[in-house]
């Protein structure tokens, strides 16, 4: 009979973790917990003390700090799996869970499913031939080395990536490995897990490769299972029900999703809202109900897609108020200052703001700390601002009570420029092209984390041409885009030309443009 060892990766809410562990181990199954080392020490001690007397609970052999998209998530999983292998010799299946997961079937139903089929349940699709990755990086996840966290260190992440691409530092994938991709929520048999642990002890080259790939928790286990297990013994799906929004974020389930969850051909669901107390209570009661019967309809994903696409007015599927329109407004004028030297653009914006009543916002899509009004949370993070870019701009127009607004954007954000210039509103782009000394580029490299303060001259000598080339390439992309109202102000041009350029950009009288242009040290570093 199946005996499940749950592999739980978690980082918050110790009381919920304790309840989850106690519930899932009451029927004889067991659990190995990795609690993120980034969490407060007291939280882990509370979990450990509360579960100390539970023989069906153990903890990862080592706690590490985890970050999204990093190898640390795979390493934490391996530590928890090793502990489960060592402490639970009778465990037949190893099931990956997070603290946001909850069972949507009874424990007897789960055991029957696992007993009925001698297979591993894991999404495992060919990395290059499948369409699992719809947008963004694909091959680049593997062939370049990713040592920075894309969410917490975006400048270093993309700076390192662009530098490797510029210097042609692509690497080869291990020849005997065919990379696969899929959800990280798997259920594997004991012999498969043991084969993986044995494989990584002998194939350190494969571990080194995946250690510096991006988002390896979607490729590491998926690839190794396909490499080690015969295809007829792999069920290419996850037993955990999860859905994603149009923005690539997991859908959260609430109290009113109970019946829909029970109808899915899965054993667990992710992710359950922390506030869905009634849903958690009902699912907990269901878990211990050995007489429960389930009617599988699998309508969850299609229903969610149907309701979301049609914008049904309802408590969970209604569109957010900021998504009800898609255009900035036909009669509105958005003026975008594009400049790689942020202090130059900010200096000009403040000068314009001092001499006119034109409202402006500085690098709102590049700088998290940009001063912005409270717009109901849409401005809370760079990710939200970028995802809801047009809605954010509409709300800024409304907040300032104006039809004319000015913002700053880094020239690397060509996608933002294309989006805004493609809107029905009037969009003007003033590109300020600055001169870049070697000293400035060296400081820029250090700010991006590409070079340290004590970097050798030879190192900087190799970096500076690549960085200068990237800046030129960004400017070329803007020029090649052929924006209708694209104005270029160059540092090396005759300053007598500046008033005319500013008058065209701002649509103001020449006299006012002349006054704005009389700014001291516009390009000073």
């Amino acid at each position: 009979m199946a005996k499940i060892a749950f592999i739980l990766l978690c980082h918050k809410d110790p009381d919920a973790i304790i309840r989850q562990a106690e519930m899932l181990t009451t029927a004889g199954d067991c659990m190995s917990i990795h609690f993120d080392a980034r969490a407060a020490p007291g939280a882990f001690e509370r979990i450990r003390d509360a579960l100390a007397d539970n023989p069906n609970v153990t903890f990862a052999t080592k706690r590490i700090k985890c970050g999204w998209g990093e190898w640390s998530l795979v390493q934490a999983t391996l530590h928890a799996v090793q502990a489960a292998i060592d402490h639970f010799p009778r465990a037949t299946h190893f099931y990956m869970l997070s603290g946001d997961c909850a069972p949507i079937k009874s424990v007897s139903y789960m055991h029957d499913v696992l007993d009925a089929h001698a297979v591993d349940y894991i999404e495992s699709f060919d990395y290059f031939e499948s369409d699992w990755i719809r947008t963004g990086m694909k091959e680049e996840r593997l062939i370049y080395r990713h040592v920075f966290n894309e969410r917490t260190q975006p400048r270093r992440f993309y700076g390192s990536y662009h530098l490797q691409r510029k210097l042609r530092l692509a690497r080869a994938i291990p020849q005997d490995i065919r990379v696969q991709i899929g959800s990280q929520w798997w259920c594997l048999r004991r012999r498969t897990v043991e084969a993986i642990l044995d494989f990584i002890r002998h194939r350190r080259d494969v571990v080194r490769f995946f250690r510096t790939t991006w988002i390896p928790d979607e490729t590491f286990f998926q690839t190794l299972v396909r490499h080690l297990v015969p295809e007829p013994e792999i069920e290419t799906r996850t037993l955990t029900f999860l859905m994603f929004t149009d923005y690539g974020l997991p859908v959260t389930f609430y109290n009113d999703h109970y019946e829909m969850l029970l109808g899915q051909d899965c054993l667990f669901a992710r992710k359950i809202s922390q506030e869905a107390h009634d849903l958690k209570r009902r699912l907990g009661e269901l878990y211990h109900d050995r007489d429960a019967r389930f009617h599988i309809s699998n309508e969850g994903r299609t229903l969610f897609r149907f309701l979301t696409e049609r914008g049904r007015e309802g408590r969970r599927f209604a569109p957010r108020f900021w998504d009800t329109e898609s255009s900035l407004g036909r009669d509105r004028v958005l003026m975008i200052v594009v400049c790689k030297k942020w202090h130059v653009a900010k200096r000009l914006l403040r000068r314009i703001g001092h001499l006119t009543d034109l409202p402006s916002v500085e690098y709102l899509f590049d700088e998290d700390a940009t001063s912005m009004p409270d717009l109901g949370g849409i401005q809370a993070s760079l990710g939200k601002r970028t995802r809801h870019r047009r809605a954010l701009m509409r709300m800024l127009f409304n907040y300032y009570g104006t039809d004319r607004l000015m913002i700053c954007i880094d020239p690397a954000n060509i996608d933002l420029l294309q989006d805004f210039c493609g809107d029905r509103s009037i969009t003007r782009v003033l590109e300020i092209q600055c001169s870049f000394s070697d000293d400035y580029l060296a400081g820029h490299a250090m700010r991006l984390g590409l070079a340290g303060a004590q970097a050798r001259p030879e190192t900087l000598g190799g970096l500076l041409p690549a960085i200068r080339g990237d800046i030129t390439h960004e400017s070329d992309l803007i020029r090649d885009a052929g924006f209708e109202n694209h104005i270029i102000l160059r540092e090396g041009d005759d300053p007598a030309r500046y008033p005319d350029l500013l008058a065209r950009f701002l649509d103001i009288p020449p006299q006012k443009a002349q006054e704005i242009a009389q700014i001291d040290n516009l390009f000073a570093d």
Side-chain angles (χ1 to χ4, degrees):
M1 180 178 177
K3 181 181 179 69
I4 306 171
F6 295 107
I7 308 300
L8 180 65
L9 264 58
C10 47
H11 65 280
K12 61 182 180 180
D13 201 350
D15 292 332
I17 298 304
I18 294 168
R19 291 192 297 270
Q20 186 181 29
E22 290 175 340
M23 178 183 69
L24 294 180
T25 58
T26 52
D29 292 320
C30 42
M31 177 177 288
S32 178
I33 301 174
H34 180 278
F35 193 72
D36 198 332
R38 294 185 188 275
F44 176 67
E45 293 172 2
R46 193 188 321 168
I47 296 173
R48 186 179 56 191
D49 293 345
L51 300 173
D53 297 330
N54 189 331
N56 289 334
V57 174
T58 189
F59 296 92
T61 54
K62 182 180 179 181
R63 289 177 63 212
I64 61 175
K65 296 179 179 179
C66 297
W68 184 89
E70 295 180 5
W71 169 258
S72 54
L73 288 175
V74 176
Q75 188 63 69
T77 304
L78 291 172
H79 287 321
V81 166
Q82 186 64 63
I85 285 286
D86 295 340
H87 286 82
F88 308 123
R90 298 181 61 190
T92 62
H93 293 77
F94 295 74
Y95 196 122
M96 270 285 294
L97 290 177
S98 75
D100 295 323
C101 294
I104 57 175
K105 299 292 187 295
S106 65
V107 63
S108 58
Y109 182 95
M110 292 185 185
H111 289 165
D112 289 344
V113 167
L114 297 180
D115 283 334
H117 305 283
V119 296
D120 296 303
Y121 294 91
I122 183 169
E123 284 191 350
S124 181
F125 302 100
D126 187 276
Y127 189 91
F128 295 100
E129 295 180 2
S130 71
D131 62 348
W132 205 86
I133 299 176
R134 299 295 180 87
T135 59
M137 291 183 181
K138 189 168 185 177
E139 182 182 26
E140 295 84 355
R141 287 195 192 186
L142 306 178
I143 64 174
Y144 297 114
R145 295 168 177 82
H146 301 280
V147 296
F148 299 109
N149 188 293
E150 190 262 351
R151 289 191 173 180
T152 60
Q153 301 171 294
R155 291 187 178 279
R156 292 182 176 181
F157 178 89
Y158 288 105
S160 171
Y161 159 64
H162 289 302
L163 180 62
Q164 291 181 74
R165 190 174 65 172
K166 176 68 68 174
L167 298 179
R168 299 182 179 180
L169 297 179
R171 60 177 174 176
I173 298 171
Q175 290 185 355
D176 62 331
I177 294 295
R178 190 173 182 87
V179 179
Q180 307 288 306
I181 191 167
S183 166
Q184 64 270 49
W185 309 110
W186 40 254
C187 177
L188 303 178
R189 295 167 297 170
R190 185 180 191 93
R191 68 179 183 181
T192 301
V193 170
E194 290 174 340
I196 290 173
L197 294 177
D198 183 67
F199 179 87
I200 64 178
R201 281 191 290 267
H202 293 89
R203 290 295 303 272
R204 304 308 299 173
D205 60 315
V206 175
V207 175
R208 284 194 299 271
F209 170 77
F210 279 104
R211 189 181 291 274
T212 52
T213 59
W214 185 35
I215 322 182
D217 54 320
E218 293 179 349
T219 56
F220 180 76
F221 291 100
Q222 296 77 1
T223 300
L224 266 57
V225 169
R226 185 68 67 174
H227 183 75
L228 297 169
V229 178
E231 184 172 354
E233 297 181 25
I234 301 175
E235 186 78 20
T236 310
R237 71 183 186 98
T238 175
L239 292 176
T240 298
F241 179 67
L242 66 163
M243 298 189 297
F244 291 91
T245 68
D246 293 338
Y247 304 116
L249 300 175
V251 172
T252 300
F253 299 115
Y254 297 88
N255 292 332
D256 52 358
H257 287 124
Y258 177 79
E259 296 296 339
M260 184 269 285
L261 291 177
L262 265 59
Q264 306 314 305
D265 188 16
C266 293
L267 305 184
F268 281 78
R270 183 182 187 274
K271 62 188 204 172
I272 308 297
S273 169
Q274 290 184 324
E275 288 75 38
H277 302 299
D278 186 57
L279 176 61
K280 292 180 179 180
R281 177 188 59 77
R282 297 177 72 185
L283 291 176
E285 294 173 354
L286 175 73
Y287 184 71
H288 296 100
D289 185 358
R290 294 185 175 274
D291 297 323
R293 296 293 180 265
F294 300 93
H295 303 283
I296 306 302
S297 58
N298 260 350
E299 85 293 341
R301 291 183 177 87
T302 54
L303 178 63
F304 178 81
R305 188 182 307 115
F306 174 84
L307 295 175
T308 302
E309 288 176 352
R310 285 153 181 77
R312 188 198 73 168
E313 295 295 329
R315 188 159 66 91
R316 293 303 174 200
F317 291 97
R320 290 181 173 89
F321 73 90
W322 57 63
D323 288 329
T324 55
E325 297 180 58
S326 60
S327 174
L328 306 188
R330 187 180 299 276
D331 298 323
R332 284 173 168 169
V333 181
L334 177 63
M335 288 159 277
I336 304 176
V337 177
V338 179
C339 186
K340 198 66 177 179
K341 290 186 176 180
W342 293 7
H343 60 278
V344 173
K346 292 178 179 181
R347 199 174 289 151
L348 177 61
L349 248 68
R350 291 164 187 171
R351 174 72 172 176
I352 294 171
H354 179 67
L355 296 175
T356 70
D357 60 351
L358 181 65
S360 63
V361 184
E362 294 174 357
Y363 286 86
L364 70 168
F365 296 106
D366 303 282
E367 199 169 26
D368 195 52
T370 297
S371 177
M372 293 186 66
D374 185 352
L375 301 175
I378 192 174
Q379 83 293 341
S381 68
L382 290 176
K384 278 191 174 183
R385 297 175 199 171
T386 302
R387 286 196 302 273
H388 306 291
R389 59 192 70 170
R390 293 196 184 190
L392 175 67
M393 299 312 302
R394 288 199 307 272
M395 295 172 72
L396 285 171
F397 275 111
N398 293 336
Y399 177 86
Y400 289 112
T402 182
D403 287 331
R404 288 164 50 85
L405 182 66
M406 184 166 54
I407 65 173
C408 294
I409 287 181
D410 189 280
N413 293 325
I414 183 67
D415 57 331
L416 291 175
L417 291 172
Q418 290 172 327
D419 191 16
F420 288 133
C421 289
D423 191 74
R424 289 181 295 177
S425 63
I426 300 170
T427 304
R428 302 195 193 104
V429 177
L430 176 66
E431 182 186 2
I432 303 178
Q433 295 183 354
C434 302
S435 301
F436 297 90
S437 66
D438 285 349
D439 287 342
Y440 180 87
L441 291 180
H444 184 64
M446 294 176 188
R447 287 189 291 274
L448 290 177
L450 299 177
Q454 306 301 321
R456 296 170 59 86
E458 296 83 359
T459 302
L460 290 174
L463 280 175
L464 299 190
I467 296 174
R468 192 184 299 276
D470 277 347
I471 294 173
T472 301
H473 179 64
E474 291 170 358
S475 183
D476 288 343
L477 288 177
I478 295 173
R479 183 183 61 188
D480 294 342
F483 297 135
E484 184 177 354
N485 299 306
H486 179 203
I487 301 167
I488 300 177
L489 189 155
R490 297 181 177 87
E491 180 177 355
D493 286 350
D494 184 354
R497 295 188 61 242
Y498 295 171
D500 177 64
L501 298 175
L502 291 172
R504 288 163 50 200
F505 175 65
L506 298 170
D507 192 20
I508 57 176
Q511 298 85 351
K512 179 61 68 174
Q514 181 71 41
E515 186 178 3
I516 293 172
Q518 294 172 355
I519 177 174
D520 295 329
N521 303 318
L522 173 62
F523 294 98
D525 292 328

